[in-house]
Amino acid sequence: VLSSDHGYQLGEKSCWTKHTNFELAVRVPLIISAPFLHHKNILAPVELVDLYRTFADLAQLPEPDDDVDGNSLLPFLLDDDDTSAEDTFAAFSQYDRCPDLDAHGNVTRWHGTCKYVNRQNITFMGFAIRTLYWRYVVWMRFDSTNNRGHWEDCDVAEIENTTA
């Protein structure tokens, strides 16, 4: 298995670090090789969290508990012809956004890192979901005490099927 940290955005989208939910900031390389596996390029967005379940399957260990995140990639790796599951996988990411405030509490600028901010003071979060064909990113107010976004602030047309 070969993987790496996600790379830096070297000026793309005017960013010089990886403190975003842009594709360039969250995507990582992943190569899995074994003598019994054929070369195959998987288009599905998979996550590194999927490796645990994949290794458990490869080692023929008992199925991990339900509270273990991820999906086994073994079906992709063993079946050269089956790509039907590729459009059922999704990858998730989130990144915080912290404001600089003036003396009156007004936002003067947003910056991409909250590493020196107390976790309880993180007030905005970006959430992203990536499927084989789509990518959706939303930024919203964040309740760091309860570790949840303020989804109720989103436009209802964006989170409910109003055509039904």
Side-chain angles (χ1 to χ4, degrees):
V1 174
L2 172 74
S3 187
S4 175
D5 187 13
H6 35 80
Y8 281 91
Q9 293 176 206
L10 299 177
E12 294 95 346
K13 299 186 185 288
S14 298
C15 293
W16 289 93
T17 59
K18 55 186 172 186
H19 304 295
T20 71
N21 273 323
F22 290 134
E23 188 87 2
L24 290 166
V26 299
R27 195 174 190 138
V28 300
L30 176 62
I31 299 172
I32 300 174
S33 179
F36 57 88
L37 296 175
H38 299 282
H39 172 81
K40 184 174 182 185
N41 183 16
I42 298 172
L43 299 177
V46 300
E47 300 177 286
L48 295 180
V49 71
D50 296 329
L51 290 178
Y52 180 81
R53 287 188 177 272
T54 303
F55 293 152
D57 272 359
L58 282 169
Q60 299 177 346
L61 296 173
E63 173 104 10
D65 293 337
D66 288 340
D67 63 347
V68 174
D69 290 332
N71 299 292
S72 175
L73 305 178
L74 194 59
F76 290 136
L77 300 175
L78 295 180
D79 191 343
D80 286 335
D81 298 323
D82 184 17
T83 59
S84 61
E86 286 192 19
D87 61 353
T88 64
F89 272 59
F92 301 88
S93 61
Q94 71 181 70
Y95 199 83
D96 49 26
R97 187 67 75 218
C98 292
D100 285 336
L101 303 176
D102 64 17
H104 304 288
N106 298 314
V107 174
T108 57
R109 78 176 182 112
W110 293 93
H111 54 92
T113 180
C114 297
K115 64 183 173 183
Y116 300 113
V117 175
N118 183 312
R119 180 180 173 174
Q120 298 303 314
N121 295 330
I122 295 174
T123 56
F124 283 86
M125 186 71 68
F127 297 92
I129 180 170
R130 173 75 161 90
T131 67
L132 183 58
Y133 302 108
W134 303 99
R135 178 173 182 76
Y136 180 72
V137 179
V138 62
W139 290 90
M140 66 180 66
R141 289 185 311 115
F142 186 73
D143 177 357
S144 55
T145 303
N146 296 309
N147 200 30
R148 64 175 289 280
H150 287 271
W151 292 95
E152 65 275 7
D153 292 348
C154 294
D155 184 352
V156 69
E158 295 288 334
I159 60 174
E160 293 182 16
N161 182 355
T162 57
T163 61

